[in-house]
Amino acid sequence: MEQVAESLDVQKMHDLYRAGGEKRLMAPHIVYTDPLCPYPDCGQQLQAIDFRLEAHGPAIHDPLVLSWWRDVGFAGRCPKCSNWIHFTIRGKRPISADEADALPKLPEDWHQQALIL
Ligand SMILES: [Zn+2]
């Protein structure tokens, strides 16, 4: 029973976090627990990312910020291996080009504007 209560609290916290971010249109930035690109053998550091979407103008910034806080996230290519990655508040995962096409996409040069640590 305790386990269930705990996961509900985490879910509630996640929902509050998302709602607050969406309301204030906060800039998407994240620190992932996994420090590297999700593709094996790539080795690109992708732990803390400040996407700096404002650098791309409102036509890109506005829809991607909403998508981020609505838990949809967005797709972007890894700056090193160029494979598609699905970035969300909860994590990052490898996806196919077809899956990326179904998601909002970061601009091709996103990693030149972003702060990646
Ligand atoms: Zn990579």
Side-chain angles (χ1 to χ4, degrees), residues 55-93:
H56 304 282
I60 287 173
H61 171 274
D62 295 358
L64 288 184
V65 167
L66 286 179
S67 170
W68 178 260
W69 292 112
R70 285 172 186 173
D71 242 359
V72 176
F74 34 71
R77 288 181 184 276
C78 169
K80 187 173 175 191
C81 68
S82 295
N83 287 307
W84 285 105
I85 300 170
H86 184 195
F87 296 99
T88 70
I89 298 173
R90 293 168 187 268
K92 54 182 190 281
R93 65 185 184 99

